[in-house]
Amino acid sequence: MSLKLYNTLTNRKEEFDPIDEKSVKIYSCGQTIYDDMHVGNAKTYAAWDILNRYLVWKGYEVFHVMNITDVGHLTDDADEGEDKVEKAAKEKRLEPMELVTEQVRKWYREMDSLDMKRHNVNPRATGHIIEMIQAVEDIIDNGYAYEKNGSVYFDVKKFHEDHDYPRLGGRTLEDLRTGAGGRVSKEELDEKRSPFDFALWIKADPEHMMKWPSPWSLGYPGWHLECSIMGIKYLGERFDIHTGGVDHIFPHHPNERAQDMAIADINEEPVNYWLHSEHITVEGEKMSKSEGNFYTVSELLEEFEPQVIRTFFASIHYRSQSDFSLEVLEESRKKFERFRNTIRNVKGSDNGEKDDLKDDIVWIKEEFQEAMDDDLNTPLAMSKLLEFSSRINKKLDNKKSILEEAKETLVELLGVLGIILEDGEESEGVSETAVKKHIDLLLKIRENLREKSEYDLADMIRDELKKSGIVVEDSEDGPRWYVSR
């Protein structure tokens, strides 16, 4: 069986054929790190985590890059507005990099809590300014950009003559004419040759906080440029898969594609497969920070085990829009409990004589792979795993060795979906939510001890938690903790 993925570049499912037959290179657009991760962000990251895990399960070596945007992403998602990081930092009365440092730490903690595999590289935009300036110079030298009043713009019409600019997403330049005109102010049109053009380097206003010297001005890079440079630096001029949300289909990813080709001055496609994840909605509206209709991951982790949240993510197809509610998560909790109870039932079973689970083990592996090979059809894979779980429960009179093999198969395939069921942890019946509440209680006791100047006892609690892998950090807002991995 061969994996097929829906490629936004061609608008159809295509058989996956990596550049290197043994390895796969993936770039994923990551967090603009000015605020907490919400469940919509996490759903998209979970989709690419499952892609990574499934490719590894199929025998590939995967090198996965997901960026962290800490400069240049403006509030209108184009070339105007405030920098999102600067705006949030001002509101919180923090230095921009102080806010970024705090949010990056929290992002890693929450990604770890949700059992997202650590990416090979999480590059930050501010760490690649030198490469971005060099890339802008290359694009100018290759004839696809121009400077005006200290800013540098990509010449879309010139590129379109050679390479079909809006091919990604199946549009034409005429389709984009109204949209581009609507996005560009009169002031921008005074700068740009065409409303289609976008900024590679932006001259900073005097009050702008994050800015760097360049041959054109004291300024900062365009948001689209950043991903091109970080992708090329860590994956090369051509790589296998680029992922993101459907909101990246235009203009972010067409602009990336154009930049990639202009930097290297190549005619061949820089990325073979472009994958896009659909939004999560709340009462039919896109979940977004700007709308204020979102649930943060940290809020959900206070009420639900991480595996429950991952069960929810695996129950919806990455290209399907899904309406989110706490009731939906309750349904996911029931699904996860069915899996956990099956594991407990196997552990508590006596030796039997039958071995008729063998055919079921072969069946689930075939059904699981067939579902996942069809553009990562996780809802179908989940339904098959639930059926397999029921078959195990009906055949607990099998030999212990066969039951163990069935259990290990269930744990393995759930793990491919990012639903981690570790052997040994289920038998105690203690949920992660309960563990977190105990840790929080210990921290409250520690704070009371500190208020009474009983620092030795307070330090003992902190030190004992650290021995268990729980690191406590004190801040003005109170103590925070995370799991050290």
Side-chain angles (χ1 to χ4, degrees), residues 205-427:
D205 294 329
E207 65 273 13
H208 201 89
M209 300 172 72
M210 293 188 286
K211 48 196 172 187
W212 292 262
S214 77
W216 316 284
S217 66
L218 195 63
Y220 53 95
W223 172 44
H224 313 300
L225 179 70
E226 298 170 2
C227 283
S228 281
I229 299 322
M230 290 183 280
I232 290 171
K233 180 177 177 66
Y234 297 104
L235 300 174
E237 292 179 353
R238 293 191 66 241
F239 55 92
D240 298 292
I241 301 173
H242 195 311
T243 71
V246 291
D247 50 328
H248 292 143
I249 293 176
F250 186 83
H252 188 46
H253 284 170
N255 291 354
E256 271 194 68
R257 172 180 172 268
Q259 291 164 164
D260 292 350
M261 298 176 78
I263 290 167
D265 199 17
I266 57 175
N267 291 318
E268 58 187 343
E269 291 292 337
V271 178
N272 286 346
Y273 303 87
W274 294 82
L275 275 59
H276 293 92
S277 174
E278 257 291 358
H279 297 305
I280 283 181
T281 59
V282 177
E283 296 181 353
E285 297 294 328
K286 174 192 170 185
M287 183 182 294
S288 70
K289 292 168 184 173
S290 60
E291 294 296 325
N293 63 339
F294 64 92
Y295 295 84
T296 65
V297 169
S298 59
E299 289 171 339
L300 294 180
L301 286 172
E302 290 178 2
E303 300 295 329
F304 296 92
E305 294 175 78
Q307 297 93 337
V308 171
I309 301 173
R310 290 303 302 259
T311 299
F312 165 66
F313 292 149
S315 298
I316 52 179
H317 192 270
Y318 79 93
R319 286 197 297 114
S320 296
Q321 198 171 92
S322 177
D323 207 53
F324 178 81
S325 67
L326 297 181
E327 289 74 21
V328 171
L329 271 187
E330 287 294 345
E331 289 301 314
S332 296
R333 193 204 299 269
K334 293 175 184 177
K335 290 180 185 178
F336 177 66
E337 283 299 328
R338 286 177 61 183
F339 292 129
R340 183 149 59 188
N341 286 335
T342 298
I343 302 300
R344 291 171 178 162
N345 291 340
V346 170
K347 287 182 176 181
S349 65
D350 296 324
N351 285 322
E353 297 298 324
K354 297 180 180 179
D355 60 2
D356 55 353
L357 261 172
K358 284 184 177 180
D359 291 340
D360 295 303
I361 294 170
V362 172
W363 171 83
I364 188 57
K365 289 180 178 179
E366 291 176 349
E367 293 290 323
F368 180 84
Q369 185 164 347
E370 184 176 344
M372 294 296 288
D373 276 346
D374 184 15
D375 193 31
L376 307 177
N377 192 340
T378 56
L380 180 57
M382 278 287 293
S383 69
K384 298 296 183 181
L385 287 171
L386 286 166
E387 183 178 342
F388 180 57
S389 177
S390 296
R391 292 188 185 191
I392 294 173
N393 289 329
K394 292 176 181 177
K395 298 182 179 182
L396 293 173
D397 56 351
N398 270 244
K399 295 175 182 177
K400 195 69 174 178
S401 59
I402 301 300
L403 285 169
E404 283 294 320
E405 185 180 347
K407 182 202 74 174
E408 290 168 5
T409 300
L410 180 61
V411 169
E412 174 191 343
L413 298 183
L414 285 170
V416 175
L417 301 180
I419 304 167
I420 309 303
L421 271 168
E422 300 289 351
D423 282 353
E425 70 177 13
E426 298 83 10
S427 59

Side-chain angles (χ1 to χ4, degrees), residues 129-185:
I129 301 297
I130 293 173
E131 292 98 326
M132 292 178 200
I133 291 172
Q134 180 59 59
V136 174
E137 291 179 326
D138 291 342
I139 295 173
I140 292 173
D141 290 344
N142 291 332
Y144 293 111
Y146 57 92
E147 183 269 341
K148 185 72 176 291
N149 297 329
S151 293
V152 181
Y153 299 98
F154 192 93
D155 192 334
V156 170
K157 285 188 174 180
K158 173 66 173 69
F159 179 82
H160 181 63
E161 292 172 2
D162 301 330
H163 301 295
D164 188 7
Y165 164 70
R167 181 187 175 199
L168 178 57
R171 307 184 185 194
T172 68
L173 203 61
E174 195 59 38
D175 291 336
L176 306 178
R177 190 172 302 281
T178 302
R183 292 197 331 272
V184 181
S185 67

